[in-house]
Amino acid sequence: MRPSGRNLSQMRPISIETGVMAHAEGSCLIRVGNTHVLCTASLEETPPRFLKGTGLGWVTAEYGMLPRATNTRNRREAAQGKQSGRTQEIQRLIGRSLRAGVDRSALGERQITIDCDVIQADGGTRCASITGGWVALRLAVNKLLKAGAITSDPIMDHVAAVSCGIYAGQALLDLDYAEDSEAGTDGNFVLTGAGRLIEVQMSAEGATFSRDQMAQLLDLAEAGMADLVAAQKAAVA
């Protein structure tokens, strides 16, 4: 039995509320169980310097966690004068995951920055950030299309992510913190709506895992994607 009482292949409840920030070109608050992340998309009409003159756009991301998003207070990284390695790794993951679903030539020479701020953490914050970040990106691109700033849709497919792992010898979908902190194997799966893999992060935290177990986790991730994409579609409808 899982600590939460869920079935092995059951996602936590997912909700995505859009339009939560008045000034952002796209925004949403995504809730995956008790993990809540505020995602905003900000548009700049100039690309990064290294892309000037190429005709290509850019999607990037920043990630942060509020001090009391967790059980104990974490110091603000700004107060420490630098970002942690974990923060840098997560925001790079979010950026390259979302770029994988974008035709950068259709976006044109502009940049969209996705900000993901964790309000409450209960496992899977990077996955919720990717899933909600896509919704914020979709809403910002919709504004570009409506304004006639671009003529073709640069978003090629949905992009979402989910965690899976081996807990107490069993393969589980969508780990919460209680499961993640005790998992023998932990994995994050980023996929497109069509089921194409963008990135897989897997590690043996307490015990090695077999090829068959890895396949089990991928099967669970693909099943979870259906729920995530359905929530994205409902949010941007």
Side-chain angles (χ1 to χ4, degrees):
M1 178 68 70
R2 304 178 69 166
S4 63
R6 285 182 287 147
N7 296 330
L8 303 182
S9 59
Q10 185 179 357
M11 292 283 297
R12 289 173 287 177
I14 306 161
S15 69
I16 305 176
E17 179 186 356
T18 60
V20 295
M21 299 293 284
H23 303 296
E25 281 74 26
S27 67
C28 74
L29 175 62
I30 181 169
R31 298 179 177 92
V32 183
N34 286 323
T35 290
H36 304 168
V37 184
L38 177 64
C39 302
T40 59
S42 299
L43 172 66
E44 297 173 69
E45 286 295 342
T46 55
R49 184 176 299 177
F50 68 90
L51 286 177
K52 285 188 176 180
T54 65
L56 299 175
W58 191 246
V59 176
T60 188
E62 294 188 13
Y63 169 95
M65 188 176 289
L66 295 184
R68 279 314 304 265
T70 54
N71 288 331
T72 57
R73 185 183 186 276
N74 295 306
R75 287 191 68 198
R76 295 182 190 273
E77 292 184 339
Q80 300 178 65
K82 64 177 182 179
Q83 289 182 314
S84 68
R86 176 183 181 272
T87 294
Q88 294 180 55
E89 183 265 323
I90 290 175
Q91 64 189 24
R92 287 169 183 158
L93 169 66
I94 298 167
R96 64 179 177 264
S97 295
L98 295 176
R99 283 195 298 274
V102 172
D103 178 350
R104 292 166 49 212
S105 60
L107 181 59
E109 288 194 21
R110 51 178 55 86
Q111 174 169 283
I112 299 177
T113 301
I114 307 299
D115 287 293
C116 301
D117 293 287
V118 180
I119 298 171
Q120 184 169 285
D122 186 32
T125 62
R126 72 186 65 195
C127 294
S129 295
I130 292 168
T131 304
W134 183 91
V135 171
L137 176 64
R138 173 75 272 176
L139 294 172
V141 167
N142 285 351
K143 287 192 174 182
L144 287 172
L145 288 165
K146 186 175 181 180
I150 54 177
T151 55
S152 61
D153 190 353
I155 296 183
M156 300 181 292
D157 200 351
H158 288 256
V159 174
V162 68
S163 65
C164 301
I166 307 294
Y167 172 84
Q170 294 180 304
L172 307 183
L173 173 64
D174 187 23
L175 305 181
D176 57 29
Y177 178 76
E179 295 162 341
D180 185 42
S181 61
E182 298 292 332
T185 297
D186 182 25
N188 298 298
F189 297 81
V190 187
L191 295 94
T192 68
R196 303 283 295 179
L197 289 166
I198 294 173
E199 186 155 341
V200 176
Q201 299 177 329
M202 286 192 67
S203 58
E205 303 286 348
T208 58
F209 56 94
S210 67
R211 187 186 184 96
D212 286 344
Q213 286 175 316
M214 183 171 67
Q216 277 184 287
L217 296 182
L218 178 56
D219 288 343
L220 286 172
E222 289 176 339
M225 278 294 295
D227 289 347
L228 293 168
V229 170
Q232 288 177 329
K233 287 180 176 178
V236 300

